[in-house]
Amino acid sequence: MYEQAEPVRSPFSRPDSGQISGPQPQSTPVHQGGHRGRVRHGNGADKRQEEEEAASHTYEGRATYTSADRTYPGEASGRGGLCSFIRSHRSCMAAGIAVLVAVGLAPMTFINKEEISRFSTAVGALKRDQDYISTTVDALKRDQDDISATVAALKRGHDDMSATVAALKHAQEDIITTVQGLKRDLYKEHNLTRALEQRLHEMTSCPNGYSTWNGICYKAFNTSKAFSDAAAACGEDGGTLAMPRGAGTNAFLIVLHNSVSDDQDFWFGLHDQYKEGSFQWVDGSALGMYNSWSPDEPNNSGGSEDCVAYAAGKNDKWNDDECTSPFYFICQAVPGDTVKRLSDHAQ
């Protein structure tokens, strides 16, 4: 005869719940004798039952099997017991999970708040940087526009400079041509200058024995002649009798004739032969404002004194005298004309 095996309780069920994990298993016959755990009838039944319970092996999450009777509840029954336990304790488990989550998330919340604060600060800094970058970009765009305008102006300036350079090159070519022409002209002028210098030298040359005063050649002759003969002798040298129109020239002539003789009278080129009292120089010009008459002169003594001389007895003052009187004389000549006339006269 077989005894019905006792149902296996779930390891998660309460002792007083009476729940049996999974569906009720089918009764398995238990053979008597020949094996430990076999049930015998009589007074030793309780003892054998305890041995069978001691020999049974219980596993959490799995069905219990008995070695005495080789009974194995199905694996689905174990899972069903676990699910029943979870359903019966889900409120406690939810509370525990909530506590665990709260305990676990509290530091994370604090950390997240710090991270959020830092992130907000970083975002604010990034926004300010973005605004600054936007402002900088706008300024760079304006600068770019200004640079573009400047480049365009520089290009126009470059074009203008190129045109100016081209014009300057043409002008340089013209200048070179002009300089070459000027060089030729300068060479001609140089030759002309040399000729003029030679001519000037000839013009500034006075006849032999003449002395220069204010560009005029003067000479005192120690030969006695009448006024007209003395004038003719001066003409032979290309000049005339001397005409002291100012005090400087007058003083120079006194020194000049005294170097020849200081006790002789000297004719010079003043007379009033055409009209008494109307004195004029031998070139036909009037006496003018300057004179150096001796006191009481001119007096036309005897009614025939029409020519003027330096009077040695009157401190070389001017004195009118008879034109036929034989006196020394003083000539003057223009340098160039004198040389030319002497050259023509020699031919």
Side-chain angles (χ1 to χ4, degrees):
M1 294 179 68
Y2 294 95
E3 292 180 352
Q4 186 175 357
E6 185 178 353
V8 179
R9 298 180 179 272
S10 173
F12 300 101
S13 63
R14 289 177 299 184
D16 56 352
S17 62
Q19 290 182 351
I20 299 174
S21 63
Q24 295 294 328
Q26 295 287 333
S27 295
T28 304
V30 178
H31 299 276
Q32 294 181 355
H35 192 275
R36 188 182 59 182
R38 181 173 297 175
V39 178
R40 291 181 180 180
H41 297 281
N43 296 330
D46 295 334
K47 184 175 181 179
R48 285 193 298 270
Q49 181 69 30
E50 292 177 356
E51 288 177 358
E52 290 178 0
E53 291 176 358
S56 65
H57 300 279
T58 304
Y59 296 92
E60 291 181 4
R62 295 177 58 93
T64 302
Y65 68 92
T66 304
S67 60
D69 56 9
R70 302 291 193 271
T71 301
Y72 297 90
E75 190 173 307
S77 299
R79 287 197 299 269
L82 178 60
C83 292
S84 298
F85 176 78
I86 291 173
R87 283 195 298 270
S88 63
H89 293 82
R90 59 186 176 184
S91 60
C92 295
M93 294 179 68
I97 292 171
V99 171
L100 290 175
V101 170
V103 172
L105 292 181
M108 294 178 63
T109 303
F110 178 75
I111 293 172
N112 287 338
K113 285 182 178 180
E114 291 183 348
E115 292 294 331
I116 290 170
S117 178
R118 287 195 294 270
F119 181 74
S120 298
T121 303
V123 168
L126 289 174
K127 286 183 177 180
R128 290 191 296 273
D129 291 343
Q130 185 180 12
D131 294 338
Y132 174 75
I133 291 171
S134 298
T135 303
T136 304
V137 168
D138 292 338
L140 289 175
K141 286 181 178 179
R142 291 192 295 271
D143 292 342
Q144 184 180 15
D145 294 338
D146 294 339
I147 291 171
S148 299
T150 303
V151 168
L154 289 174
K155 286 182 179 179
R156 291 192 297 271
H158 177 71
D159 295 338
D160 295 339
M161 289 180 65
S162 299
T164 303
V165 168
L168 288 174
K169 286 182 178 179
H170 292 308
Q172 184 182 22
E173 294 174 356
D174 295 339
I175 290 172
I176 292 173
T177 303
T178 303
V179 168
Q180 291 175 350
L182 289 174
K183 285 182 178 180
R184 291 190 296 269
D185 294 340
L186 181 62
Y187 179 75
K188 293 178 181 179
E189 291 294 331
H190 179 69
N191 292 336
L192 179 60
T193 299
R194 293 180 61 185
L196 290 175
E197 287 177 350
Q198 182 65 30
R199 177 62 178 164
L200 180 63
H201 177 73
E202 294 175 355
M203 290 178 63
T204 56
S205 298
C206 292
N208 188 26
Y210 278 74
S211 299
T212 303
W213 171 260
N214 286 339
I216 303 298
C217 302
Y218 296 97
K219 182 178 181 179
F221 289 85
N222 58 0
T223 302
S224 297
K225 292 182 180 293
F227 185 88
S228 58
D229 294 336
C234 290
E236 291 176 0
D237 284 346
T240 63
L241 287 169
M243 294 176 283
R245 300 175 185 271
T249 302
N250 188 70
F252 173 78
L253 294 180
I254 291 172
V255 173
L256 181 64
H257 76 70
N258 282 335
S259 66
V260 175
S261 175
D262 59 358
D263 60 355
Q264 293 292 323
D265 293 347
F266 282 81
W267 293 120
F268 62 90
L270 185 63
H271 66 91
D272 64 347
Q273 295 179 84
Y274 299 128
K275 183 179 180 181
E276 182 59 33
S278 179
F279 289 90
Q280 62 181 24
W281 301 106
V282 291
D283 64 357
S285 60
L287 173 60
M289 298 298 296
Y290 177 76
N291 67 79
S292 183
W293 294 108
S294 177
D296 299 329
E297 296 295 341
N299 58 10
N300 194 24
S301 178
S304 58
E305 294 180 344
D306 296 326
C307 295
V308 183
Y310 288 106
K314 296 182 178 181
N315 297 322
D316 295 321
K317 294 295 182 178
W318 296 0
N319 177 54
D320 60 342
D321 207 325
E322 292 182 3
C323 295
T324 58
S325 298
F327 294 151
Y328 290 175
F329 57 94
I330 305 172
C331 295
Q332 77 173 40
V334 177
D337 293 342
T338 302
V339 174
K340 185 176 183 300
R341 289 178 184 180
L342 289 176
S343 178
D344 294 342
H345 180 72
Q347 293 177 357

